[in-house]
C-alpha cells in the first residue's frame, strides 16, 4: 500500500497537541518579580511569571506590530516577545546586557515580556501593597494593581492579565 | 539511524524577508506564461518595492512573482512550529500557516493557494 506523505496539516495538528500545563503552586506569601525600565520600577505577581530568560536569541518576524520584538525558542516551545516599554508607552532603547525576557502566562495568553532589568524575586506581605494613587498617569490606571515600596522606590504592580487581554485585542 | 521527517518546500524572498510554501502547491518555476500575474506582496498585504521583471511560481491559473533566491529543498519537520497565539492574532501578513526557525533565522510558511482562492 502506498504510504501517504506527511503534510503541513499533519505536522501542525501534531505540534498543537504538545505543550504542558503550568503547575499552579499556592504560595504562602505574595511572590513578586521586580523589574525596571530605565528609572521606573515595576513588578508582576510571581504566579504569572514562569521563567526569567537571559541571552535568548530573538527571531524577527515581518508584519508584526512594533511592540512585538519577535519569537524565541524555549526548549522547543515558541513564544512571542513583547516589549513592556512599548506596551506602557515608553520610548524604546537599545537592548542592554542586563535586559531580560520574562515568560508570562495568564488566562488570556502566554508570551515573553522584554524588560530592561530584573531586580529581584521577593515574597512580599499582601498588606504592603497599597492602592494605586489618584495621581497615577491616565494610561497606567487600567494596568496598575497597586504600589509597593522596594529599596525606597515606589514600584507599580502591573496587571499582566489585563495587559495580555488588551494585547490580544490590539489595544496596546 | 532513522532519517529525520521532512517536507518539500519552495522558499523565496519578498521584501527583506524569507517565505516558503509547500512544494506541492507549486507546479513550476516560470519567467513568462499566459497565467494571471500576481505579485506575492499584494497577496500578503506587503508594500511592493520591486518593479523589475521577476521569476514566478505557477500555481494553477496564476503566476506569482517573487524575489530570488528561490530554493526547492527538504525541510525538517523539527524546524516547523505553529504560530504562537499573540503572533497569530496580531500579524498583518495574510495566509501564514506556520513558522520555520532555522540557524540563519525565521521564515514564514504560507498557504498561497488558499490566498489565491480567497
Amino acid at each position: 500500500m502506498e504510504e501517504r506523505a506527511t503534510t503541513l496539516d499533519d505536522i501542525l495538528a501534531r505540534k498543537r497537541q504538545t505543550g504542558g500545563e503550568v503547575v499552579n503552586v499556592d504560595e504562602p506569601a505574595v511572590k513578586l518579580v521586580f523589574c525596571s525600565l530605565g528609572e521606573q520600577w515595576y513588578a508582576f505577581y510571581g504566579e504569572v511569571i514562569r521563567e526569567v530568560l537571559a541571552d535568548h536569541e530573538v527571531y524577527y518576524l515581518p508584519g508584526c506590530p512594533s511592540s512585538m520584538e519577535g519569537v524565541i525558542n524555549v526548549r522547543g516551545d515558541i513564544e512571542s516577545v513583547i516589549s513592556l516599554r512599548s506596551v506602557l508607552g515608553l520610548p524604546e532603547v537599545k537592548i542592554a546586557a542586563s535586559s531580560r525576557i520574562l515568560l508570562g502566562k495568564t488566562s488570556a495568553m502566554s508570551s515573553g515580556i522584554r524588560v530592561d532589568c530584573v531586580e529581584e524575586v521577593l515574597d512580599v506581605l499582601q498588606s504592603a501593597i497599597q492602592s494605586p494613587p489618584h495621581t497615577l498617569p491616565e494610561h497606567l490606571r487600567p494596568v496598575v494593581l497597586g504600589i509597593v515600596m522596594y529599596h525606597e522606590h515606589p514600584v507599580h504592580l502591573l496587571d499582566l492579565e489585563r495587559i495580555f487581554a488588551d494585547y490580544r485585542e490590539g489595544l496596546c | 539511524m532513522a532519517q529525520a521527517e521532512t517536507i518539500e518546500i519552495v522558499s523565496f524572498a519578498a521584501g527583506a524577508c524569507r517565505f516558503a510554501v509547500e512544494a506541492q502547491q507549486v507546479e513550476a518555476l516560470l519567467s513568462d506564461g499566459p497565467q494571471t500575474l500576481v505579485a506575492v506582496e499584494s497577496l500578503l498585504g506587503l508594500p511592493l518595492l520591486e518593479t523589475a521583471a521577476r521569476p514566478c511560481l505557477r500555481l494553477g491559473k496564476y503566476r506569482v512573482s517573487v524575489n530570488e533566491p528561490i530554493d526547492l529543498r527538504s525541510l525538517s519537520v523539527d524546524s516547523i512550529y505553529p504560530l504562537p497565539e499573540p503572533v497569530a492574532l496580531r500579524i498583518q501578513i495574510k495566509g501564514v500557516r506556520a513558522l520555520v526557525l532555522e540557524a540563519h533565522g525565521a521564515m514564514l510558511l504560507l498557504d498561497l493557494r488558499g490566498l489565491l482562492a480567497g
Side-chain angles (χ1 to χ4, degrees):
Chain A
M1 199 171 83
E2 190 178 334
E3 196 173 322
R4 190 171 71 89
T6 302
T7 67
L8 181 57
D9 286 320
D10 297 334
I11 296 159
L12 291 175
R14 207 184 311 154
K15 296 214 169 186
R16 285 196 181 101
Q17 287 169 3
T18 61
E21 291 293 312
V22 173
V23 177
N24 187 12
V25 178
D26 289 334
E27 296 288 345
V30 181
K31 192 178 290 297
L32 299 183
V33 178
F34 290 87
C35 59
S36 60
L37 300 177
E39 300 298 310
Q40 302 291 319
W41 294 53
Y42 301 92
F44 293 102
Y45 279 120
E47 65 192 17
V48 293
I49 303 299
R50 285 186 292 161
E51 198 170 342
V52 179
L53 304 172
D55 298 329
H56 233 78
E57 182 181 8
V58 179
Y59 294 88
Y60 167 78
L61 292 183
C64 291
S66 58
S67 56
M68 189 176 287
E69 200 178 305
V71 293
I72 52 176
N73 186 344
V74 185
R75 297 180 291 277
D77 289 329
I78 307 303
E79 300 279 1
S80 55
V81 179
I82 296 168
S83 162
L84 186 59
R85 280 184 166 274
S86 182
V87 166
L88 298 180
L90 298 171
E92 291 294 336
V93 295
K94 192 176 174 198
I95 294 169
S98 61
S99 177
R100 297 288 182 268
I101 296 170
L102 308 176
L103 274 188
K105 184 175 175 64
T106 71
S107 63
M109 66 180 206
S110 71
S111 178
I113 308 150
R114 169 74 71 184
V115 298
D116 289 1
C117 187
V118 170
E119 304 293 339
E120 204 164 359
V121 180
L122 270 185
D123 287 335
V124 171
L125 291 175
Q126 183 72 49
S127 59
I129 302 171
Q130 300 161 7
S131 299
H134 297 299
T135 53
L136 198 65
E138 186 77 35
H139 72 281
L140 287 179
R141 285 182 193 170
V143 296
V144 173
L145 294 168
I147 301 287
V148 61
M149 295 303 291
Y150 173 74
H151 291 291
E152 301 182 353
H153 288 274
V155 178
H156 294 103
L157 176 58
L158 296 174
D159 184 352
L160 191 61
E161 190 80 44
R162 175 65 185 265
I163 289 171
F164 277 0
D166 286 353
Y167 201 85
R168 278 181 64 96
E169 300 299 318
L171 300 176
C172 60
Chain B
M1 199 170 92
Q3 276 196 319
E5 193 178 2
T6 60
I7 63 168
E8 296 292 304
I9 61 160
V10 175
S11 67
F12 54 90
C17 303
R18 296 289 299 165
F19 297 91
V21 61
E22 279 185 277
Q24 64 184 21
Q25 291 201 355
V26 180
E27 291 155 19
L29 177 62
L30 304 167
S31 56
D32 204 359
Q35 299 85 4
T36 307
L37 179 62
V38 182
V40 72
E41 291 85 352
S42 67
L43 285 175
L44 303 181
L46 293 172
L48 177 57
L49 305 174
E50 193 70 51
T51 54
R54 300 189 295 177
C56 296
L57 309 177
R58 193 179 84 199
L59 292 92
K61 60 183 180 181
Y62 295 98
R63 281 186 299 133
V64 179
S65 64
V66 299
N67 283 343
E68 292 180 295
I70 301 168
D71 294 315
L72 168 63
R73 64 185 171 101
S74 296
L75 178 71
S76 166
V77 301
D78 292 339
S79 59
I80 301 174
Y81 301 91
L83 291 179
E85 192 185 13
V87 176
L89 288 168
R90 300 291 302 272
I91 195 165
Q92 291 170 355
I93 294 174
K94 298 171 191 166
V96 179
R97 295 287 318 282
L99 179 64
V100 177
L101 294 187
E102 295 180 295
H104 51 274
M107 184 166 67
L108 295 174
L109 198 43
L110 305 168
D111 177 14
L112 285 184
R113 280 198 183 264
L115 282 174
L116 289 164

